[in-house]
């Protein structure tokens, strides 16, 4: 019976250790999943316009304002990194009048006070982009949009 007792004690110890390892593994997996979800959510949950200046020229004789005819290069992305449009890829700058509703609201607001040669990253919430209707086949309803933009000229 001492042999059985020793065997059972060893088996209990082994099972107990296996359970601790399994619980630790589950805890680590859950923490990883939560961290990944939080990271993905951070990019997708933009509720306000975010304007990041990537490059600002040293000299700036004039900044953009509403009513200016501007020429831009841009690349547009969804929050998962999918590129949906790019004037750079087409080799054709995009021209429009700023602040006149010719472009999405995120652009009208996010491209003001720019210098020629300045580069920005815009994170545009759905209500300042295409909202619940989306656009074309690539931009779904409620999409947060991310644009890398460069002001080429003020005309």
């Amino acid at each position: 019976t001492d042999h059985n007792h020793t065997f059972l004690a060893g088996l209990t110890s082994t099972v107990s250790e296996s359970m601790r390892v399994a619980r630790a593994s589950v805890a680590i997996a859950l923490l990883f999943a939560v961290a990944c979800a939080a990271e993905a959510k951070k990019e997708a949950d933009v509720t306000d316009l975010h304007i990041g200046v990537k490059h600002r020229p040293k000299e700036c004789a004039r900044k953009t304002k509403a009513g200016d005819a501007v020429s831009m290069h841009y690349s547009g992305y969804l929050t998962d990194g999918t590129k949906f449009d790019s004037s750079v890829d087409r080799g054709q700058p995009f021209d429009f009048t700023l602040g006149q509703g010719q472009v999405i609201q995120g652009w009208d607001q996010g491209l003001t006070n720019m210098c020629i040669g300045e580069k920005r990253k815009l994170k545009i919430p759905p209500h300042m982009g295409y909202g619940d209707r989306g656009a074309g086949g690539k931009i779904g309803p409620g999409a947060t949009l991310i644009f890398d933009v460069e002001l080429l000229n003020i005309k």
Side-chain angles (χ1 to χ4, degrees):
T1 61
D2 284 337
H3 176 69
N4 288 343
H5 181 62
T6 304
F7 173 75
L8 288 176
L11 182 60
T12 302
S13 175
T14 302
V15 169
S16 181
E17 181 63 24
S18 295
M19 291 299 289
R20 276 196 292 270
V21 169
R23 280 194 296 265
S25 297
V26 168
I28 290 169
L30 285 172
L31 286 172
F32 181 76
V34 168
C36 289
E39 186 64 27
K41 188 175 182 182
K42 183 172 57 175
E43 189 82 308
D45 282 349
V46 177
T47 56
D48 297 313
L49 176 64
H50 293 240
I51 302 168
V53 177
K54 294 169 63 175
H55 170 76
R56 180 173 285 139
K58 291 181 181 171
E59 299 293 321
C60 183
R62 185 172 172 307
K63 293 185 177 186
T64 57
K65 64 184 183 316
D68 284 341
V70 297
S71 183
M72 308 287 306
H73 258 319
Y74 71 90
S75 292
Y77 302 89
L78 301 176
T79 55
D80 68 1
T82 302
K83 186 188 298 184
F84 59 82
D85 193 15
S86 176
S87 68
V88 177
D89 292 351
R90 286 191 303 276
Q92 181 67 44
F94 180 64
D95 299 334
F96 66 99
T97 302
L98 189 61
Q100 304 298 305
Q102 295 178 358
V103 292
I104 58 175
Q105 185 181 6
W107 270 39
D108 269 344
Q109 290 183 24
L111 303 178
T112 58
N113 294 315
M114 273 186 90
C115 302
I116 293 173
E118 186 172 332
K119 295 179 182 181
R120 292 183 179 178
K121 181 175 192 165
L122 305 178
K123 292 183 183 178
I124 302 174
H127 71 276
M128 297 180 80
Y130 296 103
D132 292 334
R133 69 184 186 279
K138 295 182 180 179
I139 302 172
T144 293
L145 306 175
I146 300 170
F147 286 94
D148 290 322
V149 297
E150 178 181 7
L151 178 63
L152 301 175
N153 200 5
I154 303 171
K155 300 177 181 181

